[in-house]
Amino acid sequence: MVRGRLRRENRGVSPVISVVLLVAITVILAATAGYVVFGLADETKAVAPQPAITATYDRTTDGDGQALELVFEGGDTLEEKNVYFVLQDAVAVNPSGSDSAAEIDGNQIDAQIGSEIAAGATMTIDADATTVDTTSSPSEKLDLSDATLRLVWDPASADIQETETIWRWSDS
């Protein structure tokens, strides 16, 4: 008689475990389907490219003045339409003695490199690549001693609203 009682008490455990497992599997499948259907899987943040850039600073003050040569050594390939340079605190020394702020003239990336920036590409920031923000005469020399140059990534995707500085140079 004792054996019969033990068997009857153990019979209820198996259906309870199977119901719990079935409910757990159903919840996991519903959560996965909801994640895909509502597009939460598409909201991953885009990772900014990581280029490897070497900058060579020419401190020469004769001729056109100072220059900065950028060599793209490797890393991620960049599309010209998604990046731009910001030059701050560069000074154009004018023959008249009045110094002015200098900025990068137009799209120097496209002019010097092309539509795709890959390993081996070279770009020079010098007096020829800059413009003065006044209507005075063109600069004779470029002073980059206090300048900061940033390469900014601005993705073309409408889903991504962020810009990110992916490279920065400063002489200090």
Side-chain angles (χ1 to χ4, degrees):
M1 287 280 196
V2 173
R3 285 187 177 179
R5 285 186 181 172
L6 290 177
R7 287 184 184 173
R8 287 183 185 163
E9 291 174 6
N10 288 337
R11 285 184 183 175
V13 174
S14 182
V16 171
I17 292 175
S18 63
V19 169
V20 169
L21 288 174
L22 185 60
V23 169
I25 291 171
T26 305
V27 169
I28 291 171
L29 288 175
T32 304
Y35 187 76
V36 172
V37 168
F38 292 115
L40 298 176
D42 293 337
E43 291 185 13
T44 56
K45 182 178 178 177
V47 178
Q50 298 297 313
I53 303 172
T54 302
T56 305
Y57 178 46
D58 182 3
R59 292 179 168 82
T60 306
T61 55
D62 59 349
D64 286 341
Q66 300 173 345
L68 182 65
E69 181 182 66
L70 306 175
V71 177
F72 294 82
E73 300 287 341
D76 295 331
T77 299
L78 306 170
E79 291 185 44
E80 171 267 331
K81 66 181 181 180
N82 294 339
V83 293
Y84 59 91
F85 281 100
V86 176
L87 181 63
Q88 295 174 313
D89 300 325
V91 177
V93 181
N94 295 316
S96 63
S98 61
D99 296 345
S100 305
E103 299 174 348
I104 293 181
D105 185 20
N107 191 347
Q108 288 296 311
I109 297 172
D110 189 39
Q112 293 189 39
I113 298 173
S115 63
E116 189 174 271
I117 305 169
T122 303
M123 182 175 162
T124 303
I125 306 296
D126 58 9
D128 293 334
T130 60
T131 185
V132 180
D133 64 358
T134 65
T135 57
S136 63
S137 61
S139 65
E140 182 177 291
K141 295 181 182 180
L142 183 64
D143 182 0
L144 296 172
S145 59
D146 295 324
T148 300
L149 181 68
R150 292 184 299 133
L151 179 59
V152 179
W153 177 63
D154 187 9
S157 171
D159 297 338
I160 305 168
Q161 302 277 327
E162 300 177 6
T163 62
E164 186 172 338
T165 298
I166 57 176
W167 184 82
R168 182 179 183 272
W169 172 83
S170 178
D171 185 41
S172 53

